[in-house]
Amino acid sequence: LTPFKTMKSAAVFSLLVASASAFSPANIPAFTYQQSALNSVPLANGAMSFDQVCREWRCKYTGDKSDSESLEAIAKVVDEYLPQIKAVSDGVTVNRLVCGSCLDFKLMTTVPLDDFGPWEEKEFAPEGEFLAKIKAIEGVSQVETQTITNVQI
C-alpha cells in the first residue's frame, strides 16, 4: 500500500467507527439502583454514590469472645452512651460488630449526609468521652476512629 492509500484507509475506518452505533457510548444511566436521597454524592466516575456517612470507633479486646472481661466492659460503656449516640440524628443507625477470631470490636454510627457536618462540628460527641472510657479498660488496645461512606444497596 502507498502512504496515501494507507491514510485514506485509516480515515475511512475512523469515520465508520465514529458513526457506528455499536461503537458509540451507550446512553445508560450511571446508577442501576434507585438513589435514596436527592443529595447523594457520586464516587467512582458515577458508578456508585453515597448519601450517608459512618463514624466508626474500633479497638482490640482480649480474651475469648464468650467470657472476655474487656469485651464485657466495652459493652457496658456502649450501654452508657447509646442514648446519646442515638440522639445524634433522627436518621441515625448504630451497628455493633464483634469478631471473635481477630478480637475486633467496632461501633458504627451512620447518619444521613445532611446531619454529618453538624455532628462533625461537635467533634462527633460523645466520641471523646466514649473513647477515653474504653481506652481505660484493661485489655483494650488499638483504639481508633474512621469516617467512611455508607449506602444501602
Side-chain angles (χ1 to χ4, degrees):
L1 291 174
T2 66
F4 177 75
K5 286 185 179 181
T6 303
M7 283 181 20
K8 185 177 175 184
S9 297
V12 170
F13 179 75
S14 296
L15 287 171
L16 285 172
V17 169
S19 64
S21 63
F23 295 100
S24 318
N27 190 9
I28 299 172
F31 305 106
T32 57
Y33 56 90
Q34 185 177 12
Q35 292 177 309
S36 60
L38 295 175
N39 63 343
S40 63
V41 177
L43 298 170
N45 297 315
M48 62 179 80
S49 69
F50 70 93
D51 60 357
Q52 298 181 50
V53 182
C54 174
R55 185 67 172 177
E56 180 183 272
W57 304 335
R58 63 178 176 255
C59 65
K60 297 284 188 178
Y61 66 92
T62 54
D64 184 86
K65 66 185 177 291
S66 62
D67 61 2
S68 168
E69 290 180 14
S70 59
L71 188 57
E72 179 183 1
I74 293 168
K76 290 177 181 176
V77 176
V78 171
D79 289 344
E80 178 184 348
Y81 283 94
L82 194 55
Q84 289 179 43
I85 296 167
K86 286 189 172 188
V88 165
S89 163
D90 288 338
V92 70
T93 57
V94 181
N95 296 89
R96 182 193 65 228
L97 294 85
V98 176
C99 179
S101 62
C102 64
L103 307 178
D104 278 345
F105 169 84
K106 298 179 182 186
L107 193 68
M108 301 175 76
T109 304
T110 303
V111 298
L113 186 58
D114 292 339
D115 294 341
F116 182 76
W119 187 34
E120 183 179 34
E121 288 172 7
K122 297 175 186 170
E123 298 178 347
F124 305 109
E127 179 176 282
E129 294 175 24
F130 180 90
L131 296 177
K133 284 209 174 180
I134 65 170
K135 283 178 182 177
I137 297 170
E138 187 176 335
V140 169
S141 63
Q142 297 181 28
V143 177
E144 301 172 334
T145 62
Q146 182 177 359
T147 299
I148 52 179
T149 64
N150 191 346
V151 66
Q152 290 184 335
I153 57 173

